[in-house]
Amino acid sequence: MTLITIYMKKSLFFTFLMFSGFISVSFCQTIPADYEKALWPGFRTAAVSYTFDDGCSNQFAIAMPMFDEFGFKTTLFTVTDWVTDWKNLTDAAANGHEIANHTKSHLHLNELTVLQQSEELVSSTNLINEKIPGQKCITMAYPFCAVGNDSLCKALYIAVRGCQGSVEAKTPASFMNVSSIICGELGSVKTAANFQTQLKTATSRSGWVVYLIHGIDNDGGYSPLSSETLRT
């Protein structure tokens, strides 16, 4: 990030360490001497985001109460065709969690025409905006990490999450493909120590680590993560 403090509120995918803040960007203004520039909210040294994909059942039964207990907010990337109970999502939104887009039917966007991609993204974004009061859907995550049409994504979202498996720099190379790290049995982050290692890397670089979580315990989700590990 450049110039002056950039805090983000509209998208919790962009809510950084300790999960709070607001956008405040100044251009061509004189900064009073009493003010100091900050890279991250609260002059913290790094940023971390917890993102959840696919709406797996234990995300709502276990993970959301856990994060609410500690006052941390998450992003729930939602496949709208898979939603069987919007109340889970409206309740999460009411507690400050971001409800974001994971497309309509979880297809490989890179195998679709631009028109087909638009149908996947626009309909699901509109449905989320209709079902979730008080929020606007402005971020998306690529299913299967398959990158979609850049121009289309830029027209619909302020940022899109990929899954390159690395800690981002303080300013991502592309906000249309922000890196995340897959957690759980099939990911590189399996233990509490792995979480800490990635966070230490982000801290050493003044960077941003985005954790990507699917299943919790035995709910049938991809790459399940132990709830005990998540709490630790």
Side-chain angles (χ1 to χ4, degrees), residues 62-73 95 97 231:
I62 295 175
M64 292 305 99
M66 187 185 302
F67 277 79
D68 290 339
E69 176 186 345
F70 292 102
F72 293 166
K73 307 306 175 185
N95 285 331
H97 302 282
R231 172 173 283 276

Side-chain angles (χ1 to χ4, degrees), residues 78 80 100-110 112-129 137-143 146-157 160 176:
T78 303
T80 56
N101 195 2
H102 200 32
T103 74
K104 178 178 182 291
S105 51
H106 206 276
L107 302 176
H108 292 78
L109 292 182
N110 61 344
L112 305 179
T113 67
V114 175
L115 178 59
Q116 289 170 328
Q117 291 184 49
S118 179
E119 292 170 349
E120 276 285 315
L121 299 178
V122 172
S123 62
S124 49
T125 295
N126 288 343
L127 185 58
I128 291 170
N129 287 336
C137 179
I138 53 176
T139 66
M140 189 266 288
Y142 296 119
V147 177
N149 180 271
D150 194 69
S151 296
L152 175 62
C153 291
K154 284 180 178 178
L156 294 171
Y157 310 106
V160 184
M176 292 299 105

Side-chain angles (χ1 to χ4, degrees), residues 63-208:
M64 292 305 99
M66 187 185 302
F67 277 79
D68 290 339
E69 176 186 345
F70 292 102
F72 293 166
K73 307 306 175 185
T74 69
T75 293
L76 299 168
F77 285 112
T78 303
V79 183
T80 56
D81 275 0
W82 295 357
V83 178
T84 58
D85 183 2
W86 281 95
K87 187 177 185 302
N88 284 331
L89 292 165
T90 56
D91 286 349
N95 285 331
H97 302 282
E98 179 191 11
I99 312 304
N101 195 2
H102 200 32
T103 74
K104 178 178 182 291
S105 51
H106 206 276
L107 302 176
H108 292 78
L109 292 182
N110 61 344
E111 296 177 356
L112 305 179
T113 67
V114 175
L115 178 59
Q116 289 170 328
Q117 291 184 49
S118 179
E119 292 170 349
E120 276 285 315
L121 299 178
V122 172
S123 62
S124 49
T125 295
N126 288 343
L127 185 58
I128 291 170
N129 287 336
E130 174 189 334
K131 294 289 188 179
I132 306 299
Q135 288 192 14
K136 183 175 175 60
C137 179
I138 53 176
T139 66
M140 189 266 288
Y142 296 119
F144 306 107
C145 310
V147 177
N149 180 271
D150 194 69
S151 296
L152 175 62
C153 291
K154 284 180 178 178
L156 294 171
Y157 310 106
I158 64 169
V160 184
R161 197 213 63 206
C163 39
Q164 297 92 305
S166 58
V167 173
E168 280 285 4
K170 56 183 178 292
T171 301
S174 171
F175 279 97
M176 292 299 105
N177 195 14
V178 176
S179 177
S180 68
I181 301 173
I182 296 175
C183 303
E185 288 182 2
L186 302 178
S188 59
V189 172
K190 298 177 175 66
T191 66
N194 295 152
F195 276 98
Q196 289 299 316
T197 295
Q198 297 295 344
L199 183 56
K200 288 176 182 178
T201 298
T203 301
S204 69
R205 301 175 183 174
S206 298
W208 177 20

Side-chain angles (χ1 to χ4, degrees), residues 16-17 39-41 43-48 199 202-204 206-209:
F16 301 124
L17 194 61
L39 182 62
W40 303 115
F43 293 87
R44 297 179 177 92
T45 55
V48 59
L199 183 56
T203 301
S204 69
S206 298
W208 177 20
V209 58

